Amino acid sequence: MLDILHLSKTYGSAHALTDVSFSINKGSFTTILGPSGSGKSTLLLNVAGFVAPTSGDIRLEGRSLLDVSAEKRNFGIVFQGYALFPHLRVHENVAFPLRMRGLSKADIEKKVKQALELVQLQPYAERYPRELSGGQQQRVALARALVFDPSLVLLDEPLSALDKSLRDSLREELRHLHKAVGMTFILVTHDQDEALELSDSVAIINNGRLEQFADPATLYNAPASRFVAEFLGKSNFIPVQAASGAPDAMTLQAAGQNLRHSQHAPLPGNTSNNRMVLALRPERIRLVNGHGVDGDANVVAGEIVDLSYRGADIGAAVRTDLGLLNVRLDTGGLHAMPRIGERVKLSWSASAGFLLPDDGAQ
Ligand SMILES: Nc1ncnc2c1ncn2[C@@H]1O[C@H](COP(=O)(O)OP(=O)(O)OP(=O)(O)O)[C@@H](O)[C@H]1O
Ligand SMILES: [Mg+2]
């Protein structure tokens, strides 16, 4: 178990991290997601021991790491701009952590070969880093971080310079490796799909603060804030003026209409200031033509004002009294192609949306 406890880091008057706390289970895969400059690398650098926190603690199996040097922490790391040794060939770079740990020559050879196979760089073993592309260098760094079977692996955007097919295959390898070896992974990424696909838990950081730490399904279906709902996937946000009734049978007032709503997750704490939004994913809204509407469904009329064809689905923007709603239509389920200017009815079930405090994120 790795515990991040009230971690703060300031640079002069700039707050890179503010009171961040969460705990990572041994053997789990955690990603850190957030906009550029939100503090993701700072968080990882603190865990690695390259940066000391201004306040707070980091504990591994209950023991504070703050007085343990970066080398002694024994973590596998790939950092943004964390360079390879320029004077060492690829295989020597990857062998370095093993030499440091005094492994036998035969073991080193075997493990380096495996690690280079993992990142598909066996043919480049004899090259120097300057003779490799940026993406190839990144893969050598990844091999070097994993080769000594560290208990904790810290990766800061290790796949960012790779093309899509290589990234997909390395992502698969990471997932496989994680399952097979049981290392604990902490990965910083900008890629939401990567985060949702790989992770047991995701920490969403915004402006140095932890917005939410949860499993992917909870983040997607029960976001703690508008920021999270906006950052992960697409959402419509319908301003809600008032809410009444029990959580599983609420009536929401939005633009003079009553909407049915039910929510099993706890309602957000500070809804008392009445600034709330109903977050509604585009794929949870259906196009209906009078029949086939469930008893507890909401129905809203509107006009299609924009369409974007994307193959398997169509994105439709529909102007309604509740505002412009984005709807994702599954082409397989459509009787006829929608047209711009068409009057339509939209429907969603009472449990399709999620009520949130309106923190005004855009
Ligand atoms: N050594 C430093 N001195 C001063 N400010 C710093 C330093 N390192 C980071 N910062 C600031 O702290 C904030 C967080 O930076 P950090 O590198 O953690 O962001 P990030 O989330 O990793 O961003 P990116 O996605 O662009 O890599 C930024 O505003 C950055 O300018
Ligand atoms: Mg960074």
Side-chain angles (χ1 to χ4, degrees), residues 154-173:
L154 308 171
L155 305 171
D156 196 344
E157 312 228 24
L159 312 181
S160 62
L162 308 178
D163 63 56
K164 185 165 173 359
S165 75
L166 195 55
R167 194 158 71 206
D168 287 350
S169 81
L170 264 182
R171 186 194 293 182
E172 259 322 296
E173 282 301 339

Side-chain angles (χ1 to χ4, degrees), residues 114-122 139-140 142-143 166 170:
Q114 281 173 351
L116 287 179
E117 267 166 20
L118 172 72
V119 296
Q120 302 172 28
L121 281 181
Q122 316 88 298
R139 281 143 67 196
V140 178
L142 191 57
L166 195 55
L170 264 182

Side-chain angles (χ1 to χ4, degrees), residues 40-42 80 156-157 188:
K40 305 180 297 295
S41 294
T42 304
Q80 286 176 310
D156 196 344
E157 312 228 24
V188 169

Side-chain angles (χ1 to χ4, degrees), residues 257 299-303 318-323 325 343-348:
Q257 299 199 31
V299 180
V300 170
E303 180 188 338
V318 180
R319 192 187 298 128
T320 73
D321 289 344
L322 300 174
L325 296 182
R343 301 283 309 169
V344 291
K345 282 186 176 152
L346 303 179
S347 170
W348 65 90

Side-chain angles (χ1 to χ4, degrees), residues 80-279:
Q80 286 176 310
Y82 187 70
L84 300 171
F85 304 116
H87 57 288
L88 296 183
R89 293 175 193 272
V90 165
H91 72 90
E92 292 163 337
N93 261 283
V94 178
F96 186 81
L98 302 174
R99 291 230 160 81
M100 296 285 290
R101 287 166 177 79
L103 267 72
S104 75
K105 209 165 168 227
D107 280 348
I108 291 178
E109 209 161 294
K110 187 169 131 239
K111 282 183 171 289
V112 168
K113 185 165 173 286
Q114 281 173 351
L116 287 179
E117 267 166 20
L118 172 72
V119 296
Q120 302 172 28
L121 281 181
Q122 316 88 298
Y124 299 85
E126 295 302 324
R127 295 220 193 158
Y128 288 98
R130 63 172 182 276
E131 298 167 336
L132 300 176
S133 74
Q136 289 165 342
Q137 292 181 32
Q138 225 176 0
R139 281 143 67 196
V140 178
L142 191 57
R144 190 178 60 180
L146 298 172
V147 72
F148 61 100
D149 303 324
S151 58
L152 183 63
V153 185
L154 308 171
L155 305 171
D156 196 344
E157 312 228 24
L159 312 181
S160 62
L162 308 178
D163 63 56
K164 185 165 173 359
S165 75
L166 195 55
R167 194 158 71 206
D168 287 350
S169 81
L170 264 182
R171 186 194 293 182
E172 259 322 296
E173 282 301 339
L174 277 185
R175 190 223 292 275
H176 179 73
L177 208 76
H178 171 246
K179 293 264 181 297
V181 194
M183 298 177 194
T184 310
F185 276 84
I186 308 181
L187 171 78
V188 169
T189 177
H190 273 109
D191 188 327
Q192 301 177 6
D193 294 334
E194 203 163 282
L196 294 178
E197 207 179 306
L198 286 173
S199 321
D200 300 307
S201 306
V202 182
I204 307 242
I205 308 270
N206 178 27
N207 205 6
R209 291 176 188 274
L210 183 70
E211 289 270 338
Q212 192 169 8
F213 179 72
D215 63 280
T218 301
L219 285 176
Y220 195 78
N221 297 313
S225 64
R226 180 168 172 167
F227 178 87
V228 173
E230 220 148 35
F231 199 75
L232 269 191
K234 291 196 165 58
S235 236
N236 295 289
F237 294 99
I238 301 171
V240 170
Q241 279 85 43
S244 57
D248 61 348
M250 298 179 86
T251 303
L252 308 180
Q253 271 173 36
Q257 299 199 31
N258 285 341
L259 301 177
R260 293 165 198 258
H261 179 64
S262 77
Q263 189 154 316
H264 293 295
L267 285 182
N270 57 341
T271 45
S272 54
N273 63 7
N274 282 343
R275 298 238 306 155
M276 289 175 286
V277 285
L278 181 68

Side-chain angles (χ1 to χ4, degrees), residues 236-238 257-260 278 280-307 314-330 334 338-339 342-350 352:
N236 295 289
F237 294 99
I238 301 171
Q257 299 199 31
N258 285 341
L259 301 177
R260 293 165 198 258
L278 181 68
L280 194 56
R281 301 280 183 195
E283 71 271 20
R284 307 297 297 271
I285 305 177
R286 290 190 304 140
L287 216 56
V288 291
N289 39 14
H291 35 267
V293 180
D294 304 337
D296 74 336
N298 295 292
V299 180
V300 170
E303 180 188 338
I304 297 180
V305 294
D306 196 18
L307 286 170
I314 297 175
V318 180
R319 192 187 298 128
T320 73
D321 289 344
L322 300 174
L324 198 65
L325 296 182
N326 289 303
V327 184
R328 199 174 88 195
L329 305 170
D330 187 355
L334 290 176
R339 288 171 292 106
E342 191 180 336
R343 301 283 309 169
V344 291
K345 282 186 176 152
L346 303 179
S347 170
W348 65 90
S349 74

